[in-house]
Amino acid sequence: MFSFMLRRVLASIPTLLVVYTVTFAIAHLTPGSPWDSASANRPMEPAAKAALDAKYNLDEPLQVQYIGYLWGAVQGDLGPSFRDPSQSVADIVKKFLPTSLALGSMAIALAIVMGLLLGVVAALTRSRALDTAILFFCTFCVSLPTYIITAVLIVTMGVGLGLVPTFGWKGLFSTSAIVPVVSLALAPMAAIARYCRNCVLEVMHKDFVRSARAKGVKRSRIIAVHILRNALVPVVTVAGSYASSVLVGSFFVESIAGVPGFGRYFVLAVSARDYPVIIATTLVYAVIVVLCNLLVDIAHFMIDPRTREDVR
Amino acid sequence: MTMVPSTQRRGVPLLSASLRIKPGLAVAIAFLVLIVVVAASASFLPYDAYRQDLLHRNSPPSWNHILGTDELGRDMLARLAIGARVSLVVAVTSTVAAVLIGIAVGAIAGYKRGWIDSVCMRFVDSMYAFPDTLFAILIAGVVKGQLNQSSTDFFSPITALYKMSGGLFGVFLTLSFTSWLVCARIVRAEVIILRSAEYVAAARLAGASDLFVMRRHILPNCLPVIIVSATFVVPSAILLEAGLSFLGVGVDPPTPSWGAMIASGVRSMQSYPHLLITPAIAVGLTLLSINVIGDALREHFDPSFRRGGEAS
C-alpha cells in the first residue's frame, strides 16, 4: 500500500510540471503587461515600468524566470502578487482557499449522500414512474449551468421567499451557505445517482445476491452489504472526478452568491494579468486534482478487495 | 476514469430500430428543431436585436415585445434568437474542429503505440489536471489579446476574420483547443481494439499502407465512438461559450449571446427577474434537449456508455 502510494505521488510530478509549463506559457503569451490595467487612462512612465519589471524579475529572459519561479515554488514561495503587492500569493491562497474547500467538501458530501439515495431508490423501486422521474431530474441537473442554478435559487428562495440572504457570506454554518452548497452539489449528485442506479441494476442480478437472498439474509442487509458495496466503486470514481472542480470553487457560484473564495479570485487575477497568482492557482488546482485521484485509489483499495491484487 | 472499450458492440442495430421515439426524446428533438428554426429566421423577426429604445427599458413581456425588453430597451426575443444562432454556430463548428483534433491525436497514438502513444496520452492526462472552465478563460485571454493586437501580415486574415465575427472566431478557437481531450481518449481506445482485427492484419499483409488501412478500415469503424464523443462535446461547448460570454471574455458586445444575457440578467435579477428567466430557460432547455438526444444516441451506439452518461 505504501509503495503504491509513493509510486502514485512520484508519477504525478511530470503532470504538475506539464501544468506549470503550459500555464507559464499561457500567462506570458497573453499580451500586455501586468502594469497596463492599473492605470488605463494614465499610461505609466516607461522608467517606472522598467523599475517594476526589474523588481519582479520580469526583465530577465523567460527561461530564467521559468526556472526561478519553479525553484521558489518548490520551496513554498509562490511569489508576490502583482495586483496587491502587500500580500504574497501564499497568503492569498491561505486566505481564499479554505472558504472554497469548506464549501466544496460540504457540497461533495451532500452530493454523495443524495446521489446514492436517489440512485438506489431509482434502481430498486417497482414504480416505473418514480424511476423515470428521478432519471429526468438527474439529466436536468447535469444540463443546467451552475450560474443558472445559483441565480434561480437566489431569486426564488432569497428574493421570493426571503429564506436565505441574497448576497454575502457569513460562514459555512449559516443560511448564506445554503444556495452555494446546493448549486455546487446538484451536478455531481445527478452524475452519482445515474452511475449508482445503473450499477445497482447490474449487481442486483449477480449470483451472490441470489445466494444471499436464498440463504434468507434480510433485504436491508442485502442492499447495504452486497449491492451497495459493489455499486460504490464507480460512484467513488465519479465523485472523485467532480470533487476537484467543486473543491477549488466555482467562479460563477462565488461571484453571484458573494462568497469570498478561490474561484472568484482566479478570474480577477486573470483579468489583471497577475502572473504569480494565475500560475499558483492553477498549480494548487492541479495538486488538488492529483490528491483527489489518490484518494479515489485509496477508497477503491478499501472498498474493493479485488483491486488490491494489482497495486502490490 | 478510463473508458472501458466494449467488444460486444460489433453490429450496431439500425438507427430507426433502437431509436424507438420515446415521448421525452420526441419533445427534445422538437425543441431543438424549434431553436434551430428561430436561430435561422432571426433576421426576419419584426424587431431589431440592436435597436435601443431607452423609453422602454426593462419592460416586462407585453404584446409589443413578447419577452419584454432588456436594460437598453432592446427586444429580448430578437436578442435570444441571435444569441441562439451564436451559440449553435460556435458549438457546432468548435465541436467539428475539436473532434477532428481528437481523431488525429487519438488515431495516431492508438495506431502507432510506443513512445508516440505515451507522449500523447501523458499530455492528455496532464491536461485533465487543468480546471476546464478556468483553462478556457486563460486560453480566451490569450486568443483575444493576440488577435486584437497582432498586425503582422501573417495574422492579418485571421485578425480580420476575428473582428468581422464579433469575437465569435476567438470563442471558436478557445473551445476547439479545450474540448478535444475526451475525443482523443475515446478514439484511441477504439483504434487500439480495431488495429488488432483480422481484416486489418490481412490488409497490411496485402501491402496496404498505414494511411490506407487507417482511411479504409479503421476510421470508418470508429464512427460510432466518434459520434458518441461528439455528444459529450456539443453540450459542453454551449455551456463553455455561455460561461465565457458570462465572464465577458466570449463574444464581444453588442452581439447578443445567451451567456452575456444571463450575466446582465443576474445583475438585475432582484428588480427585473424576467431578464434572467428567459435566457436561463432558453439555455437550460437547449442543453437538456441536447443531453436527452445524446443519451439516446449513446444508448444506441454503445450500451456500455449508458452508465450515467458522463465522460472523463
Side-chain angles (χ1 to χ4, degrees), chain A residues 14 16 21 39 42 48 55 72 91 95 98 102 104 116 122 127 146 190 193 199 210 222 224 249 260 266 295 306 310:
Chain A
L16 293 179
T21 312
S39 48
R42 221 160 22 89
K55 184 178 172 199
D91 291 340
K95 190 164 146 199
L116 280 177
S127 140
T146 45
C199 282
R210 200 187 318 140
I222 293 181
F266 175 83
L295 277 180
R306 281 169 299 185
D310 324 332

Side-chain angles (χ1 to χ4, degrees), chain B residues 53-111:
Chain B
D53 179 1
L54 296 179
L55 289 178
H56 299 98
R57 296 161 55 210
N58 299 320
S59 65
S62 65
W63 284 116
N64 270 338
H65 301 277
I66 299 176
L67 294 178
T69 58
D70 72 356
E71 74 274 11
L72 293 173
R74 298 172 293 197
D75 184 62
M76 285 290 280
L77 179 60
R79 291 187 69 75
L80 268 185
I82 304 266
R85 185 191 286 174
V86 168
S87 279
L88 294 181
V89 166
V90 166
V92 171
T93 50
S94 59
T95 300
V96 170
V99 166
L100 288 180
I101 301 176
I103 292 175
V105 175
I108 291 173
Y111 190 76

